[in-house]
Each structure stands twice: as structure tokens, then as C-alpha cells.
Amino acid sequence: DDFTVPDGQLFSLTVPLQRNGYIWAEDVYERQEVSDWDLSYQRVLYCNMAIEGLEKLKDKRNREDWKNAMGMAHFFRALNFFFLQQEFGQIYDVQTANTTLGVPLRLRSDVTLASKRATVAETYGQILDDLNAALPLLPELPLVKHRPSKQAVYGLLGKVYLILEDYREALSNAKMCIDLGGRLLDYGEIDGSRAAPFPSDVSQNPEMILYSTMQPSTLLRTRYSVSQELLGLFSENDYRRKLYFQYNPDGRVLFRGSYMGVTGSNFTGLALDEVN
């Protein structure tokens, strides 16, 4: 609903998933292998291997590096289950969460174990379990923003509780996330003449809590046009209109407001602007 792709641009796409997904074709994949759910489950596998290996090192549990590694493994498992649930699980509804389907919860590294889909309630329960396991193990702030921290845990907990319609917990975790630091960007001080206004160097972005990005897509940036309905939500004097969008010579409106700079990827991580 937020963008359109002109026919000439659409049929020039070489990836069936992107072309067919846009028009809701009956055969989206055309028997081509794609990297969507499998990449998240690959990361879940790595997390399971890390957790199982760290559990064997019982004599190391009081060491900070052990705690940090175990905390990261639980956090990234939660994050990937969260991403998978948003894409492939059914929508949360308190009345049906115990019967509708979420996603398979792979909690061991043994690839011979059969998979079955958990319920929506079980899926979000596991996400919360992993985040609560990670919270006491991680530092308040990360060494680098590619790694999780207590601030990232609070930020993701806020998003999860918002989906679960537990607004008291969502607000509480959002406040704890904000209290741990960072600041909002002043859009009035950002150079809108640059091709990518926001700094691609994550260390230079005070809003960013955790770096995470989508895979680059040939559909993004150059082939679509932001809908006039979406653009119309921003007044002419709104800094966001000037920084998020740009006019292409052919009249199309392109999105350029990603935290990922000129990479062509869209930001999927955690940032203070969303938490606020």
C-alpha cells in the first residue's frame, strides 16, 4: 500500500519472488530457491549451538565473557523467532492465541528432530523466555551496536508487549530502554542534499540501539514509487518529507530514509525514535 511499481519496472525484475509477490501471483517462487525463512532458522541453529556449548562450560558461568555470549545467543534466538512470527505466523489475538499457528520453535541443534508449528501463544512465550534469559547476562550498553545489550532487550520487549496488548509492560520496558541512554536525531541539522541523509556508520547514529538490516532487493530504491497517499501524510514543511523521500527525474518518488545509508538495504533493528 505504501509504494507502487510501474509495469515497465515490474517486469524487468529478474527475481520471481519480488515480481510475483508484488502481484500476489499463485506461484510466487517458480521453483527457485530463495533466502527468506531459512536464513532466520540458520541463525537460530547457530544460537542453539552456542547455548548448548556454553551450557557445558559450567565452571565459566561467573565470567563476563560467558554471560555475554549466552546472553547474545538467547537474544538473537528471540529476535529471529520474532522476525519469523511477523512474517509467517498468524496475527496475535488473545481470544485465539492458544489455537492459531505461530512458527516452528527449534530449540535444539539436532537437525534430525522433527519440526512442528507452535501456537501463537507458545511462539510469543518462547520469545519472552529468551529475552528474560538474556536480560541479566548482557551489559547495559554494547561494545558495538551490532551486538545486543540490556537496552536492546528492553526495546524488543516493548515491541513484543505492544503486540500482546499488554500496554503497561510495553510502556515500562520502553521507559527502561530510553533511560539507558542515546538521543534522538535533530532532523533540522541533517544535510538533506546528500543522497543518503542518515549516517551509514552506525557508531555515528545516536538513535540506533541495535544494527539489523534486510537483504538488499532489486525492487527497492530504484524501481518503485512511494504512493502519493503516503507522501501526503507529511506536510511540505515536515523535515521527514525532505529527508525520507526524493524525486526521481521521471517523476517517481523514491524512499531514501533508511539508516543503512547508500547500501540499498532497509533498517530492521532497534532505535530510540521507535521506542519513543
Side-chain angles (χ1 to χ4, degrees), residues 141-154:
L141 298 173
L143 179 65
V144 293
K145 293 182 180 180
H146 294 75
R147 299 181 184 181
S149 60
K150 281 183 170 62
Q151 188 176 34
V153 174
Y154 286 132

Side-chain angles (χ1 to χ4, degrees), residues 45-259:
L45 172 63
Y46 295 157
C47 291
N48 289 337
M49 293 171 66
I51 291 170
E52 291 166 10
L54 289 163
E55 285 175 343
K56 296 176 182 177
L57 303 176
K58 296 181 179 180
D59 58 325
K60 309 293 185 183
R61 295 191 177 199
N62 292 323
R63 289 179 45 165
E64 290 304 312
D65 54 354
W66 187 96
K67 293 179 181 178
N68 195 39
M70 181 65 89
M72 287 195 292
H74 278 288
F75 177 87
F76 281 123
R77 188 166 70 177
L79 182 66
N80 281 280
F81 282 148
F82 178 78
F83 286 153
L84 287 162
Q85 171 60 25
Q86 304 321 298
E87 291 294 325
F88 301 106
Q90 296 189 44
I91 296 173
Y92 178 82
D93 182 331
V94 67
Q95 302 296 329
T96 61
N98 287 309
T99 55
T100 50
L101 292 175
V103 298
L105 298 175
R106 302 288 302 183
L107 302 178
R108 305 299 298 175
S109 64
D110 185 354
V111 297
T112 66
L113 297 176
S115 293
K116 67 175 182 177
R117 289 178 70 175
T119 66
V120 169
E122 290 169 338
T123 301
Y124 280 110
Q126 182 60 50
I127 292 169
L128 291 175
D129 286 347
D130 272 324
L131 290 175
N132 288 322
L135 186 59
L137 301 174
L138 293 171
E140 289 189 352
L141 298 173
L143 179 65
V144 293
K145 293 182 180 180
H146 294 75
R147 299 181 184 181
S149 60
K150 281 183 170 62
Q151 188 176 34
V153 174
Y154 286 132
L156 186 52
L157 281 170
K159 289 167 69 84
V160 173
Y161 280 119
L162 194 62
I163 292 171
L164 299 179
E165 300 178 0
D166 188 338
Y167 302 118
R168 186 184 301 275
E169 283 296 327
L171 178 61
S172 174
N173 282 280
K175 286 182 175 178
M176 287 186 283
C177 176
I178 293 168
D179 288 345
L180 284 174
R183 65 177 176 82
L184 296 178
L185 291 167
D186 184 344
Y187 279 21
E189 297 179 354
I190 297 176
D191 183 4
S193 66
R194 299 170 56 189
F198 297 98
S200 56
D201 181 353
V202 297
S203 66
Q204 301 301 312
N205 190 334
E207 284 188 358
M208 190 181 295
I209 297 170
L210 180 78
Y211 173 98
S212 175
T213 177
M214 300 174 79
Q215 283 189 296
S217 167
T218 56
L219 181 59
L220 298 176
R221 300 290 179 91
T222 59
R223 285 187 165 91
Y224 68 79
S225 179
V226 173
S227 72
Q228 290 299 313
E229 182 181 10
L230 175 61
L231 191 65
L233 297 176
F234 302 88
S235 70
E236 291 290 344
N237 295 324
D238 193 322
Y239 284 124
R240 293 172 298 175
R241 181 174 180 135
K242 299 175 182 178
L243 297 175
Y244 292 171
F245 311 110
Q246 69 181 45
Y247 286 90
N248 207 52
D250 62 5
R252 289 182 296 123
V253 180
L254 308 183
F255 174 73
R256 61 170 184 160
S258 174
Y259 279 161

Side-chain angles (χ1 to χ4, degrees), residues 265-276:
S265 300
N266 282 333
F267 180 70
T268 59
L270 298 166
L272 280 172
D273 58 335
E274 180 183 18
V275 177
N276 276 269

